[in-house]
Each structure stands twice: as structure tokens, then as C-alpha cells.
Amino acid sequence: MAVSIAAVNITPARAQTLTDGPQLARAKICMGCHQVDSRRVGPPFVAVADRYKAGGQPMVEYLANSIRHGGRGRWGAVPMPAQPQVTEEEATALAAWILSLASPAK
């Protein structure tokens, strides 16, 4: 089940960011470690989406927090460094976009 825009309380102004997700991810250098559907240094975005897709708004907030503050141990030995240059709104938009990549429920 993909996360819908309404399910994560994305306003129409922020919905545009969902369509611009790949551009925002490139601009914020996310693609240096992640790819949409293949592993690089970090997990592919579709794997992140599939792991957290059932969480709704709390998962958007969780992922946005992980983007800004980093994390370790969730995807192996390589930690994700904090990304303080990403604003809270950008992190929320990135998290919502990532979750929108989830595979449909079977």
C-alpha cells in the first residue's frame, strides 16, 4: 500500500514536492549514498518505503527525523550521517516522497 498524500497530511503546496522528490533528493545530495531502486552505500529508497509503508504520518516524521539527525544499525554497519542542511520541511517532503515509492500491497 503506497502512502497517499492525504494519509500523511501533505498540503497542496507541499504536494508539488512529491512530484519533485527526485530533484530534491539530488539537490540535497541524497543520491550520493542512495538510489531509488538499487543499493549504493545506503539502502534503496524503495526498500525504505517497503519497510516503513504501513506507518502513515508517524513514519513520515520518523524518516524526516532520521534524515536530519542520522541513524545507525537499521540497515547494516554503515551509519547514516546527520543532514542538518536539510530543513524540517524538506526532510518531511523527502520522507513523504520516499514512502510514496512503496510497492503496492499484494
Side-chain angles (χ1 to χ4, degrees):
M1 160 173 98
V3 175
S4 72
I5 291 171
V8 293
N9 297 322
I10 299 295
T11 64
R14 287 166 67 201
Q16 180 63 37
T17 309
L18 289 175
T19 61
D20 296 338
Q23 291 174 311
L24 182 58
R26 281 190 292 279
K28 295 301 175 178
I29 319 300
C30 303
M31 299 303 212
C33 294
H34 298 275
Q35 297 295 298
V36 171
D37 57 7
S38 61
R39 185 166 187 71
R40 197 169 212 175
V41 175
F45 289 138
V46 294
V48 174
D50 286 341
R51 180 181 282 186
Y52 297 114
K53 67 184 173 187
Q57 182 63 30
M59 261 325 113
V60 172
E61 293 168 10
Y62 173 80
L63 290 176
N65 185 59
S66 293
I67 291 167
R68 288 190 33 87
H69 301 286
R72 61 180 52 205
R74 294 180 211 135
W75 294 93
V78 179
M80 179 171 160
Q83 304 299 316
Q85 78 282 5
V86 177
T87 68
E88 287 183 34
E89 185 172 77
E90 290 168 336
T92 299
L94 282 165
W97 170 70
I98 291 166
L99 288 173
S100 78
L101 301 173
S103 301
K106 295 179 182 177

